[in-house]
Amino acid sequence: NPITPEKVDLGRMLFYEQRITLSRKLSCNSCHGLDTFGVDNEPTSIGHEGQRGERNSPSVYNAALHIAQFWDGRAPDVEEQAKGPVLNPVEMAMPSEPEVIARLKEIPGYLSLFTAAFPGEADPITFDNAAKSIAAFERTLMTPGPFDDFLAGNHTALTPAQQAGLQTFINTRCLTCHNGNTVGGRMFQKLGLVEPLPGLKDTGREKLTGSEADRFVFKVPPLRNVAKTAPYFHDGSVATLVEAVRLMARHQLGKQ
């Protein structure tokens, strides 16, 4: 899915497009607000007719760098992920791919935009092309910061307090799971690895794979912009970063 300016422009429009939802009132941005660090700061998001999903909406920023998409990793990339919410009855609730395409073909301007993004195609307005465009836009949603400068060798990019925090992060072994340039999002891990987390109902990847070995296994969330993306965990059940750190230390690492 090569990124082109035309594809990104189309994807940006589709990201905000409410008319390809059943109610014509929701868009990708409803749950992944680009002005609120790619989330909606709700425990779980409000979808079609006020329904709520089971899982917290993760940030769309830097998401294209992850090992897979969704908490259970059921989509291998952002191209595949972009198709899911549109047809999900709890989220955007469109009944079928053909109905999405019919909506797009009714809206003036989209034919020329799809033609520019996918030149040479006789009928460029397709569900796959819409997903590819949204994904191309999402692949531009990166948030480099001082941490990247620090990793590149500029040791003054982080304050002494931040460097001390990083050392504590490493010494505590948080880095075991929260690693790579996204500081997470690169692997799957059992929630409650050392000590079971009380009240867990969602069995995670087990729902997807049917394997008992995947019970309570989720994608490790990334830590970029994490201070801005509360509440935390797959179900949005933890309100503060301090509490999230305390619970992770205890249940994943056996540390008080």
Side-chain angles (χ1 to χ4, degrees):
N1 184 26
I3 295 178
T4 65
E6 294 80 8
K7 204 179 287 183
V8 171
D9 287 345
L10 172 58
R12 181 185 295 107
M13 288 191 67
L14 292 172
F15 191 87
Y16 286 101
E17 182 57 75
Q18 297 180 339
R19 291 169 288 185
I20 54 172
T21 66
L22 190 59
S23 67
R24 301 176 188 260
K25 296 178 181 178
L26 300 170
S27 70
C28 303
N29 194 70
S30 300
C31 300
H32 302 283
L34 298 188
D35 58 343
T36 50
F37 291 87
V39 301
D40 57 8
N41 297 120
E42 293 277 341
T44 59
S45 295
I46 299 173
H48 182 64
E49 294 187 339
Q51 300 176 89
R52 282 191 181 268
E54 295 180 344
R55 293 173 179 164
N56 178 260
S57 290
S59 177
V60 72
Y61 284 109
N62 310 299
L65 301 175
H66 298 181
I67 187 174
Q69 303 300 311
F70 297 112
W71 281 97
D72 56 12
R74 64 185 181 273
D77 48 42
V78 286
E79 282 79 6
E80 190 64 26
Q81 184 278 331
K83 299 177 181 179
V86 182
L87 301 177
N88 187 307
V90 176
E91 298 181 49
M92 297 180 177
M94 286 298 282
S96 68
E97 293 182 17
E99 296 210 31
V100 176
I101 299 311
R103 287 270 186 101
L104 285 170
K105 288 184 174 181
E106 290 173 359
I107 301 171
Y110 270 123
L111 178 58
S112 60
L113 288 166
F114 272 89
T115 300
F118 300 94
E121 295 191 14
D123 186 12
I125 302 182
T126 69
F127 195 63
D128 280 351
N129 284 350
K132 286 178 180 179
S133 299
I134 293 171
F137 171 58
E138 290 180 347
R139 289 182 182 280
T140 70
L141 299 177
M142 301 294 161
T143 58
F147 185 57
D148 298 286
D149 297 333
F150 179 81
L151 293 179
N154 178 7
H155 292 172
T156 63
L158 297 184
T159 67
Q162 289 168 341
Q163 292 188 44
L166 173 60
Q167 193 59 56
T168 302
F169 184 87
I170 294 168
N171 293 345
T172 309
R173 304 202 317 274
C174 307
L175 197 67
T176 305
C177 298
H178 293 283
N179 50 48
N181 57 351
T182 47
V183 204
R186 307 292 290 272
M187 62 184 289
F188 299 98
Q189 185 58 275
K190 180 178 180 179
L191 187 56
L193 182 65
V194 173
E195 181 182 327
L197 202 69
L200 270 188
K201 297 177 183 177
D202 188 337
T203 59
R205 276 178 64 81
E206 184 186 42
K207 292 182 180 180
L208 181 69
T209 67
S211 171
E212 190 174 342
D214 285 329
R215 183 171 296 174
F216 304 133
V217 170
F218 297 89
K219 183 175 70 174
V220 174
L223 299 187
R224 282 189 177 261
N225 307 313
V226 68
K228 303 291 187 180
T229 57
Y232 303 105
F233 294 7
H234 65 283
D235 54 2
S237 60
V238 177
T240 68
L241 195 52
V242 169
E243 179 68 0
V245 170
R246 187 186 71 80
L247 289 170
M248 285 293 93
R250 176 178 175 180
H251 295 278
Q252 300 305 111
L253 298 168
K255 294 177 180 286
Q256 297 289 345

